[in-house]
Amino acid sequence: MARDVVDEIAGAWSAELPGVVGVELAVGKRAARLAALLNAPVEARLARLGLTRAEYDILAVLRSAGEPYRLRPSVLAQRLALTSGGTSNVLRRLTTAGLIERDPDPSDARSSWVRLSPTGVDRAEEAVRAASAAQAALLRDVPPEVTTAAITSLRAILVALGDTAD
């Protein structure tokens, strides 16, 4: 079996601190490297569309919510693992760009809704298509059964860690 960069890192730590570093490093480093490899071409495409990754993530989550493409800011923050302050900053930029609109909640004066504007719907779809194409191009040489096994294994790890959709 071919060795990857993480094998080299783990081997070095095994020599330096035998028995101290194990599967936690292998899983963590591989997850981080995979995320970096998948994100790099996406972020390049998003930059050409004038979007940051955080802006894209919010647009994509709103678009995936279905019509009327709206969610509460707290739900956006939760789904994207952002702080409320970080979410507010991104929402402010998207509002200024005309990609989202903020609507008061008639049933709760303390709350509001975030909704894609018509321009935001178009930009979200364009960005999702670009991001998907970038990742598909990167993964084109990975056998489908390897991708499926990775999806299944990563899901199992996340569920075991309590990252569930309940």
Side-chain angles (χ1 to χ4, degrees), residues 20-38:
V20 175
V21 177
V23 296
E24 64 283 350
L25 177 121
V27 170
K29 287 286 187 197
R30 282 191 175 91
R33 289 186 62 79
L34 179 59
L37 290 170
L38 287 170

Side-chain angles (χ1 to χ4, degrees), residues 4-45:
D4 66 6
V5 173
V6 176
D7 290 327
E8 295 294 320
I9 295 168
W13 276 114
S14 205
E16 292 297 315
L17 293 173
V20 175
V21 177
V23 296
E24 64 283 350
L25 177 121
V27 170
K29 287 286 187 197
R30 282 191 175 91
R33 289 186 62 79
L34 179 59
L37 290 170
L38 287 170
N39 286 333
V42 169
E43 289 173 2
R45 295 251 182 123

Side-chain angles (χ1 to χ4, degrees), residues 114-132:
V114 176
R115 176 175 45 83
L116 286 176
S117 68
T119 302
V121 172
D122 292 342
R123 180 67 62 84
E125 290 176 8
E126 179 183 18
V128 168
R129 290 178 200 287
S132 293

Side-chain angles (χ1 to χ4, degrees), residues 4 13 26 43 52 54 60 81 90 92 94 100 102 115 129 132 148 152 157-158 162 166:
D4 66 6
W13 276 114
E43 289 173 2
T52 66
V90 178
R92 205 171 5 266
L94 291 171
I100 64 165
R102 305 289 295 262
R115 176 175 45 83
R129 290 178 200 287
S132 293
T148 300
T152 301
I157 290 171
L158 289 169
D166 314 59

Side-chain angles (χ1 to χ4, degrees), residues 140-161:
R140 75 177 168 269
D141 294 330
V142 179
E145 62 276 8
V146 171
T147 305
T148 300
I151 291 166
T152 301
S153 295
L154 290 169
R155 180 184 302 110
I157 290 171
L158 289 169
V159 168
L161 294 174

Side-chain angles (χ1 to χ4, degrees), residues 93-110:
R93 290 195 310 265
L94 291 171
T95 301
T96 300
L99 300 176
I100 64 165
E101 297 169 353
R102 305 289 295 262
D103 299 323
D105 184 343
S107 64
D108 183 355
R110 299 167 296 156

